[in-house]
Amino acid sequence: MARPKSSQHEFKRDEILDAAAQCFADRSYPAASMNDIALACGTSKARLYHYYGSKEAILFDLLDRYTQRLLAIIGHAEATAQRRNLDERAALHELIRSFLQEYETSATRHVALLGDTKFLGDAQRELILNRQRDVVSAVTRFLRRAYPQRLNAANQTAVTMMLFGMINWTFTWLRPGGAMSYAAFAEEVIATLERGLAGGA
């Protein structure tokens, strides 16, 4: 019987994924090598291969875990809204805050999700894309419930992508410790939605 993997094994994988995400963001996925990732981890390439058989395996694990994390944030937001008996707008606002709290510490993972999914094999790429679609569908449901008089079959996709357009590219300009915090930006996004969508309700 195979020995169970230790918590240290998973901790090492997390370290590798952190380093790999930074390498992919700094150098681009095609340019980053297993040797670059090993150096960033302070280990040997042989040791790196003990955990991952290829650079693509690292990318897939990175995106697999990250998309699961995004879906977990949505599930947690839904459960929190029910537990706290929040109205639909407050539930959406909490989801936006939760996404931006996550983005503050996962910018390099988000870069990989937006730019590197295309480098996966067909089956793995489709799995990640389906998770992204699930995230978009869930946010659409939050928006539709929050602003039922403004969203309809014709505009709901556009409004959902407008929201993602506001928050998904923060890694290009919003910096932890900068003039505006991620938490403050979340409130600006919420205020924009309220003025723009609630105004015509």
Side-chain angles (χ1 to χ4, degrees), residues 120-134:
L120 295 172
D122 291 345
Q124 292 181 335
R125 182 173 63 251
E126 192 59 25
L127 186 151
I128 299 302
L129 290 174
N130 280 336
R131 294 236 185 93
Q132 288 180 284
R133 293 179 190 115
D134 289 343

Side-chain angles (χ1 to χ4, degrees), residues 101-156:
Q101 183 178 22
E102 174 65 26
Y103 289 178
E104 184 171 8
T105 58
S106 60
T108 54
R109 282 167 166 74
H110 208 70
V111 171
L113 180 62
L114 294 176
D116 298 333
T117 302
K118 62 181 176 285
F119 296 114
L120 295 172
D122 291 345
Q124 292 181 335
R125 182 173 63 251
E126 192 59 25
L127 186 151
I128 299 302
L129 290 174
N130 280 336
R131 294 236 185 93
Q132 288 180 284
R133 293 179 190 115
D134 289 343
V135 169
V136 171
S137 294
V139 172
T140 300
R141 289 195 303 274
F142 270 81
L143 278 163
R144 198 168 52 233
R145 292 194 299 251
Y147 305 107
Q149 293 178 294
R150 287 298 306 273
L151 268 72
N152 54 55
N155 71 2
Q156 64 183 17

Side-chain angles (χ1 to χ4, degrees), residues 122-199:
D122 291 345
Q124 292 181 335
R125 182 173 63 251
E126 192 59 25
L127 186 151
I128 299 302
L129 290 174
N130 280 336
R131 294 236 185 93
Q132 288 180 284
R133 293 179 190 115
D134 289 343
V135 169
V136 171
S137 294
V139 172
T140 300
R141 289 195 303 274
F142 270 81
L143 278 163
R144 198 168 52 233
R145 292 194 299 251
Y147 305 107
Q149 293 178 294
R150 287 298 306 273
L151 268 72
N152 54 55
N155 71 2
Q156 64 183 17
T157 298
V159 173
T160 302
M161 300 318 293
M162 178 189 73
L163 172 57
F164 278 119
M166 284 193 283
I167 68 174
N168 270 4
W169 298 92
T170 47
F171 68 84
T172 65
W173 64 271
L174 189 58
R175 296 287 178 265
M180 174 174 281
S181 69
Y182 276 73
F185 180 66
E187 299 310 314
E188 290 293 337
V189 172
I190 290 164
T192 298
L193 289 178
E194 280 292 285
R195 287 194 296 267
L197 296 180

Side-chain angles (χ1 to χ4, degrees), residues 1-198:
M1 188 172 79
R3 292 190 310 177
K5 290 188 172 80
S6 68
S7 58
Q8 184 62 30
H9 186 87
E10 281 305 303
F11 179 71
K12 189 64 178 178
R13 280 183 180 270
D14 288 340
E15 286 186 336
I16 291 168
L17 295 177
D18 285 343
Q22 191 64 58
C23 284
F24 298 158
D26 290 344
R27 294 174 173 81
S28 82
Y29 174 79
S33 67
M34 289 291 275
N35 193 55
D36 291 329
I37 297 168
L39 286 172
C41 293
T43 191
S44 68
K45 191 158 68 169
R47 183 69 176 160
L48 181 60
Y49 276 111
H50 172 73
Y51 290 91
Y52 291 102
S54 67
K55 184 173 71 168
E56 186 177 308
I58 294 175
L59 177 63
F60 175 68
D61 197 22
L62 179 73
L63 298 182
D64 182 43
R65 293 180 187 220
Y66 186 53
T67 50
Q68 287 188 67
R69 172 67 183 151
L70 295 178
L71 289 171
I73 287 170
I74 292 167
H76 184 263
E78 289 176 328
T80 298
Q82 288 183 349
R83 188 178 67 251
R84 294 171 52 191
N85 197 29
L86 299 179
D87 66 35
E88 301 295 359
R89 286 186 189 172
L92 172 65
H93 300 165
E94 285 304 304
L95 178 62
I96 291 168
R97 293 181 184 108
S98 295
F99 270 137
L100 283 162
Q101 183 178 22
E102 174 65 26
Y103 289 178
E104 184 171 8
T105 58
S106 60
T108 54
R109 282 167 166 74
H110 208 70
V111 171
L113 180 62
L114 294 176
D116 298 333
T117 302
K118 62 181 176 285
F119 296 114
L120 295 172
D122 291 345
Q124 292 181 335
R125 182 173 63 251
E126 192 59 25
L127 186 151
I128 299 302
L129 290 174
N130 280 336
R131 294 236 185 93
Q132 288 180 284
R133 293 179 190 115
D134 289 343
V135 169
V136 171
S137 294
V139 172
T140 300
R141 289 195 303 274
F142 270 81
L143 278 163
R144 198 168 52 233
R145 292 194 299 251
Y147 305 107
Q149 293 178 294
R150 287 298 306 273
L151 268 72
N152 54 55
N155 71 2
Q156 64 183 17
T157 298
V159 173
T160 302
M161 300 318 293
M162 178 189 73
L163 172 57
F164 278 119
M166 284 193 283
I167 68 174
N168 270 4
W169 298 92
T170 47
F171 68 84
T172 65
W173 64 271
L174 189 58
R175 296 287 178 265
M180 174 174 281
S181 69
Y182 276 73
F185 180 66
E187 299 310 314
E188 290 293 337
V189 172
I190 290 164
T192 298
L193 289 178
E194 280 292 285
R195 287 194 296 267
L197 296 180

